[in-house]
Amino acid sequence: MIILDAIIQGILMGLLFALVALGLTIIFGVMDIVNFAHGEFLMIGMFTAYWTSLLLHVDPLIALPTSAIVGTLLGVASYYWLVKYLLRGPMIAQLFGTFGLMLFLRYLAQFLFGTDYRIVQKGLLVGKSLSLGPFILDWTKLSAAILSLFAFTLVYYLLHRTKLGRALRATALNKEAASYMGIKTDRMNALAWAIGGGTVGIAGGLLVNFWYVYPTVGLLFVMIAFASVALGGFGSIKGAFFAGVIIGMIEMLFPVLGHLIGSDFLGPHFKFTLVYFAYFIIVVLRPQGLFGWKH
Amino acid sequence: MLRVSGIEVRYSGVPVIHDVSLEVNKGELVSVVGSNGSGKSTLLKTIAGALRPTKGSIVFEDQEISHLSTADIVRMGITYVPEARLIFGPLTVEENLELGAYILNDAEEMRKNLENVYHLFPRLAERRLQQGGTLSGGEQQMLAIGRGLMSNPKLLMLDEPSLGLMPKLVDEMLEAVARLKEAGKTILLVEQKVRESLELSDRGYVLQTGRTIHHGTGRELLNTEAIKKAFLGL
Ligand SMILES: Nc1ncnc2c1ncn2[C@@H]1O[C@H](COP(=O)(O)OP(=O)(O)OP(=O)(O)O)[C@@H](O)[C@H]1O
Ligand SMILES: [Mg+2]
């Protein structure tokens, strides 16, 4: 029972991980660029929801659209004001470019908000839980999971069922060929950053309901997102989804197993070590990730 | 329809095309022939807007296009079928073709063009739902050409459609090109199969190290001594 509970909690958390990983994998898929500032986008999404709900006295869930909008704008601005110029430089410039963006946003947040840990104190769902037989689910986590799944599905639909989405995928597969089709690849790049920023902004808005927000909060989550993207296959949307959920489950399951067999080795403080361990094993066995690249 | 005048094109500062001029009139099939590295692909890519000329001009339907982006040039009615084919491997044949019609907003028109492509290359119709990347070389070439036709361009530029194909398929491919011409398409064809393509063509240009050294009707060129010697092994 305790295992089943851990699995359920893991899936809930994993759906949010998947949404965080989604933007990273799309940006990589379309541009072959790793957005090191992705965790900071998440942090900004969290702060946006936090301040909106605090200052406007609305529920953090109602503040969610502002997180989405701020995330989208942040993505687009990053593309047009920074990444676009980096593309002309060598690979290494692209690497350090988004790394620089990460530092900039992180310390900007520190400058503006200080290093305090803040948490949403009150909200419709905060502190409430749902009992389903023997399982007790926090409403905040449950709604975050459901809305993550919804956002993920929406983006999946956009990419696979619309003309715009197909153009984006074509750009990811082969930029040159896409341009010969009349696709404006520069706009597709911007679109990838818009989706990337928007989805991770939403993830931040959901996360802030049950997680402390502080300027370096993105680090933990972006590490998980990197693992998800590598595990699922760079640029793979399905891969990000399943890898996110798998990592969520590993993260919840291992401490429980450790507890059951009475071993400290599998204790909570090691849970992410195990995530990376699982990741290493899979990367050795299947370097292209679960779903292969760019699917 | 298309007039290229005295263009120079460089790769990282080094000129590869020194001085090329050519003209394509409506309804014509014009070939550009030349040996490896003479700059044929570079020429087509420049017309397609993927490269910028450092000198000269490219005028299409009375409009200078040498500064336009590839995407805008496609919208003007010029498509380029690249030498490397550049099929979207994981996408199906039909998805590849639909991407070729990306600039069209009319679903009806797209369906009509799709039918025409399937009519020209029935083998693509049989493999509609197969992944583009799993097609044979010849089929991929058909797909690349079909994709280039999907927007119903005014000018179709083909870069070595016979490359890497077995002799029987080469004939089939050139026949398809001839049929397109008969159907009224304007085509700029780059080929290494000098005799075959000049026989098909209304006019031709011979490129050597980035310069047009001969031009004339297909017949004239085939009877030029220098060309016989250099390309036809006579
Ligand atoms: N991206 C590039 N960077 C630098 N040089 C290039 C590049 N592409 C082509 N070249 C050079 O430009 C010259 C012309 O190349 P191009 O591809 O236009 O020749 P081609 O006539 O199409 O040859 P082929 O018959 O082999 O296709 C060659 O010397 C080639 O090495
Ligand atoms: Mg070539």
Side-chain angles (χ1 to χ4, degrees):
Chain A
M1 201 49 81
I2 185 169
I3 291 183
L4 200 58
D5 182 59
I7 289 178
I8 293 174
Q9 302 288 349
I11 291 175
L12 293 187
M13 203 59 202
L15 288 169
L16 189 65
F17 289 163
L19 187 62
V20 177
L22 177 64
L24 201 60
T25 210
I26 288 180
I27 289 172
F28 180 85
V30 173
M31 305 204 45
D32 292 315
I33 278 188
V34 175
N35 178 22
F36 282 104
H38 201 67
E40 278 51 47
F41 285 20
L42 180 81
M43 174 267 293
I44 289 169
M46 291 176 79
F47 267 119
T48 303
Y50 176 83
W51 286 116
T52 310
S53 73
L54 201 71
L55 298 177
L56 299 183
H57 305 289
V58 294
D59 189 83
L61 279 179
I62 297 191
L64 197 57
T66 53
S67 289
I69 291 167
V70 168
T72 306
L73 293 178
L74 186 63
V76 173
S78 302
Y79 175 68
Y80 280 115
W81 291 342
L82 177 71
V83 178
K84 198 177 155 162
Y85 299 100
L86 298 176
L87 288 178
R88 297 183 198 154
M91 186 74 185
I92 199 84
Q94 301 171 13
L95 214 65
F96 283 107
T98 64
F99 196 79
L101 182 64
M102 169 189 96
L103 294 178
F104 171 74
L105 294 175
R106 186 181 291 177
Y107 292 110
L108 185 69
Q110 218 157 73
F111 173 73
L112 292 175
F113 310 130
T115 53
D116 298 345
Y117 283 45
R118 300 161 199 266
I119 192 152
V120 171
Q121 302 288 356
K122 53 178 192 253
L124 277 177
L125 306 176
V126 175
K128 305 213 171 76
S129 53
L130 171 73
S131 312
L132 274 179
F135 306 113
I136 298 172
L137 306 176
D138 292 341
W139 263 114
T140 48
K141 289 185 186 162
L142 189 60
S143 57
I146 292 170
L147 289 171
S148 291
L149 183 62
F150 179 70
F152 204 105
T153 313
L154 204 68
V155 171
Y156 191 85
Y157 177 85
L158 172 79
L159 292 179
H160 289 85
R161 293 282 179 278
T162 68
K163 189 174 170 184
L164 194 65
R166 183 174 289 165
L168 190 76
R169 284 195 298 146
T171 308
L173 290 169
N174 192 319
K175 196 148 285 181
E176 188 189 350
S179 74
Y180 296 144
M181 304 298 109
I183 295 168
K184 295 180 174 157
T185 54
D186 187 51
R187 296 222 187 130
M188 291 300 138
N189 291 343
L191 179 64
W193 281 82
I195 297 174
T199 50
V200 79
I202 292 174
L206 293 169
L207 186 61
V208 81
N209 282 286
F210 57 91
W211 206 277
Y212 286 99
V213 52
Y214 49 96
T216 54
V217 64
L219 188 61
L220 170 66
F221 287 92
V222 84
M223 292 308 279
I224 294 173
F226 280 139
S228 307
V229 169
L231 183 59
F234 280 90
S236 166
I237 311 280
K238 270 187 219 151
F241 183 80
F242 288 105
V245 173
I246 289 171
I247 288 175
M249 290 199 310
I250 294 177
E251 181 224 10
M252 291 294 175
L253 213 49
F254 272 95
V256 172
L257 290 181
H259 183 72
L260 285 182
I261 60 173
S263 155
D264 231 14
F265 176 66
L266 295 175
H269 39 288
F270 279 114
K271 61 187 183 186
F272 288 112
T273 319
L274 286 161
V275 168
Y276 289 109
F277 187 64
Y279 158 56
F280 277 127
I281 290 178
I282 291 176
V283 162
V284 169
L285 294 180
R286 204 177 145 77
Q288 69 275 44
L290 295 173
F291 287 86
W293 285 40
K294 298 196 175 182
H295 273 260
Chain B
M1 186 182 217
L2 176 79
R3 173 176 283 131
V4 176
S5 326
I7 58 164
E8 178 193 77
V9 187
R10 300 164 177 240
Y11 285 115
S12 19
V14 184
V16 162
I17 287 184
H18 300 274
D19 180 14
V20 167
S21 301
L22 65 81
E23 234 182 282
V24 182
N25 300 311
K26 196 166 182 324
E28 270 189 322
L29 168 53
V30 174
S31 294
V32 175
V33 298
S35 48
N36 291 116
S38 56
K40 305 182 298 293
S41 298
T42 305
L43 171 64
L44 293 195
K45 282 184 189 172
T46 308
I47 298 170
L51 299 167
R52 298 259 170 264
T54 38
K55 278 186 201 149
S57 78
I58 304 174
V59 174
F60 182 68
E61 293 191 321
D62 303 321
Q63 200 181 325
E64 177 68 40
I65 60 165
S66 59
H67 59 282
L68 294 182
S69 71
T70 306
D72 287 332
I73 288 174
V74 174
R75 281 173 180 71
M76 302 237 358
I78 302 180
T79 59
Y80 170 55
V81 178
E83 188 174 0
R85 293 161 195 167
L86 308 182
I87 297 303
F88 299 109
L91 304 187
T92 65
V93 166
E94 194 146 305
E95 286 174 324
N96 268 279
L97 291 174
E98 284 169 9
L99 275 163
Y102 178 74
I103 61 164
L104 300 184
N105 291 317
D106 183 355
E108 190 49 48
E109 195 181 346
M110 190 187 83
R111 221 177 351 252
K112 209 181 72 214
N113 296 347
L114 193 64
E115 243 166 61
N116 289 341
V117 169
Y118 283 153
H119 185 71
L120 183 69
F121 298 120
R123 224 164 327 164
L124 292 181
E126 290 161 24
R127 289 170 169 66
R128 286 177 47 209
L129 301 178
Q130 194 174 324
Q131 281 193 337
T134 63
L135 297 178
S136 75
E139 289 160 359
Q140 290 200 8
Q141 187 60 60
M142 293 175 199
L143 181 54
I145 297 175
R147 200 176 57 176
L149 286 166
M150 280 297 293
S151 62
N152 198 12
K154 294 172 185 158
L155 172 66
L156 178 71
M157 300 195 293
L158 300 174
D159 197 346
E160 303 210 28
S162 71
L163 188 74
L165 303 186
M166 60 180 198
K168 187 172 152 278
L169 271 179
V170 171
D171 293 345
E172 213 176 291
M173 205 58 72
L174 292 173
E175 236 167 68
V177 174
R179 256 182 295 154
L180 282 173
K181 177 198 151 44
E182 266 155 42
K185 248 308 104 128
T186 310
I187 301 169
L188 180 56
L189 171 70
V190 154
E191 258 303 336
Q192 279 195 61
K193 299 260 179 276
V194 173
R195 180 199 300 279
E196 291 86 340
S197 60
L198 286 180
E199 276 171 358
L200 280 181
S201 304
D202 297 309
R203 292 185 304 108
Y205 293 82
V206 180
L207 217 61
Q208 193 175 64
T209 53
R211 289 191 169 80
T212 24
I213 52 167
H214 299 284
H215 65 97
T217 65
R219 272 292 121 236
E220 284 166 7
L221 290 176
L222 282 169
N223 291 322
T224 305
E225 284 306 318
I227 292 170
K228 281 187 186 167
K229 248 196 227 136
F231 295 107
L232 304 175
L234 298 173

